[in-house]
DNA sequence: AAATATACTTACTACTAAGTAAATTTATTA
DNA sequence: TAATAAATTTACTTAGTAGTAAGTATATTT
């Protein structure tokens, strides 16, 4: 993987997190990299190919992280998950899932499939963690682990969105609330 | 307010909830209403004027509803709030806030202001309800009412987004989890 | 050294978007 | 009924957008 290609993907990722998939154009990327529009089409013939690659790399990064956390205790793993996107706050970014989900029906099919795959992977990992943590009395909550996973994931994802709109303390305060299990 | 105008706003609202503000065009609306593009510009010179009106009407509708609920007991009011968007599920719609927030930075300034106003109103109402319910021992939770309001609002909003992506039981299951306070 | 593949640029097509000015039809009022 | 105002169409501009075909310079392989 050469430099230009990975820079394109990196920038596309930033653009998706900050303004969304439909709002960015190949011109946004080519301008910043000092290349021509067509150079991006050389690596990613269709915009959706670039979109798929951003999602794919996000999934890869998630799998690498959770793998790296696997020897931590359950509570520490939950903390890692919940603080995973702390650096997004001052940039006013949302996560890839939070960015793409509301406009899901406008996305090309290959991106829809990849996004579903990403969401399922995240929810499966979190459900598994909550199951083990509950069984071992590390966590205590009344919902099923899967429901609790939905709630935690949803609240986190949308706290990044609220951070864009309100620019206040929502994110920090939701985090504290979620850790309280 | 004449018929054409209100039909334009109604359709714009549907489009925002289903595909988002940036993804819909005046052509989508004019096609369905059998009018010309320019007729929409007569009522809403700029697309952002139409966007503002959709948000404004959403706020108005919220205020009317909460006003209508005010004689119900606290728990019933919470149920009303949490089930407010049940009809969106089979249409795969998200709420206006959930649709516009991720692309907040691409929105024109007048829409940003109106959206902030809407979110603040919702959170203020919900915080107030949770405060009163907690004080009267109707609800029991350990977070502050404001934090709890953030969590409930966030989880709900993003469960609609997840419903678009996963098309399964996320929404119902989050609802049940949230009512359990 | 010749042939070939890689990484682009140039220059374009086809299309869609928001927005506007002027003309025309439809409804309301004097 | 004439004058006026409201609602809309016609016809257009401007400014993008994704995508493509053909060419070129630079490496890499034979």
């Amino acid at each position: 993987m050469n430099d230009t290609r990975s820079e394109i993907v990196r920038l596309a990722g930033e653009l998706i997190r900050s303004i969304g998939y439909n709002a960015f154009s190949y011109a946004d990327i080519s301008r910043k990299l000092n290349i021509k529009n067509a150079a991006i089409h050389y690596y990613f013939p269709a915009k959706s190919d670039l979109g798929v690659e951003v999602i794919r790399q996000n999934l890869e990064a998630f799998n690498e992280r959770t793998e790296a956390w696997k020897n931590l205790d359950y509570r520490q793993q939950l903390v890692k998950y919940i603080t995973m996107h702390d650096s997004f706050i001052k940039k006013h970014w949302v996560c890839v899932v939070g960015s793409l989900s509301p406009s899901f029906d406008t996305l090309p099919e290959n991106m829809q499939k990849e996004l579903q795959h990403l969401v399922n992977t995240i929810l499966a990992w979190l459900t598994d963690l909550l199951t083990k943590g509950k069984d071992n009395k590390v966590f205590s909550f009344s919902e099923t682990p899967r429901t609790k996973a939905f709630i935690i994931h949803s609240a986190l994802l949308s706290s990044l969105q609220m951070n864009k709109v309100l620019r206040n303390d929502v994110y920090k305060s939701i985090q504290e609330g979620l850790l309280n299990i």
Side-chain angles (χ1 to χ4, degrees), chain A:
Chain A
M1 181 125 82
N2 67 62
D3 215 59
T4 306
R5 191 194 142 95
S6 60
E7 277 294 279
I8 291 168
V9 178
R10 193 185 57 79
L11 273 174
E14 289 193 3
L15 286 163
I16 287 175
R17 281 174 255 256
S18 54
I19 61 171
Y21 175 75
N22 287 315
F24 91 82
S25 78
Y26 273 27
D28 293 328
I29 294 175
S30 59
R31 213 179 301 122
K32 283 186 199 166
L33 294 183
N34 266 309
I35 56 175
K36 300 295 160 182
N37 220 312
I40 308 175
H41 282 286
Y42 170 74
Y43 293 101
F44 302 98
K47 193 183 174 186
S48 59
D49 297 324
L50 179 51
V52 165
E53 183 61 15
V54 169
I55 305 173
R56 224 192 44 71
Q57 285 197 12
N58 206 256
L59 176 57
E60 208 173 281
F62 180 80
N63 285 331
E64 279 166 19
R65 280 173 194 232
T66 51
E67 178 65 22
W69 300 339
K70 76 173 172 199
N71 292 321
L72 300 176
D73 67 53
Y74 301 140
R75 182 160 295 278
Q76 279 179 309
Q77 285 189 48
L78 182 65
V79 171
K80 285 284 185 192
Y81 172 77
I82 285 177
T83 58
M84 203 177 164
H85 295 105
D86 278 10
S87 66
F88 285 17
I89 291 303
K90 49 182 171 301
K91 296 177 195 158
H92 302 115
W93 281 2
V94 293
C95 63
V96 168
V97 176
S99 171
L100 299 176
S101 298
S103 49
F104 187 79
D105 296 332
T106 73
L107 299 178
E109 217 184 299
N110 48 357
M111 285 184 68
Q112 292 187 340
K113 287 226 175 90
E114 203 68 37
L115 181 57
Q116 286 171 334
H117 186 192
L118 174 60
V119 175
N120 282 323
T121 304
I122 295 170
L123 288 174
W125 178 86
L126 188 54
T127 302
D128 184 58
L129 175 70
L130 291 167
T131 304
K132 291 184 293 191
K134 196 183 188 187
D135 288 350
N136 288 272
K137 317 257 188 245
V138 176
F139 306 139
S140 119
F141 50 85
S142 52
E143 303 89 350
T144 65
R146 183 150 177 86
T147 296
K148 194 70 185 175
F150 286 157
I151 293 177
I152 293 176
H153 179 254
S154 293
L156 259 183
L157 183 149
S158 117
S159 70
L160 289 171
Q161 296 174 348
M162 287 303 108
N163 180 62
K164 264 182 180 292
V165 178
L166 300 181
R167 281 144 201 260
N168 63 7
D169 57 345
V170 187
Y171 178 76
K172 279 278 158 216
S173 124
I174 286 185
Q175 272 188 332
E176 281 158 35
L178 293 179
L179 281 169
N180 196 29
I181 64 171

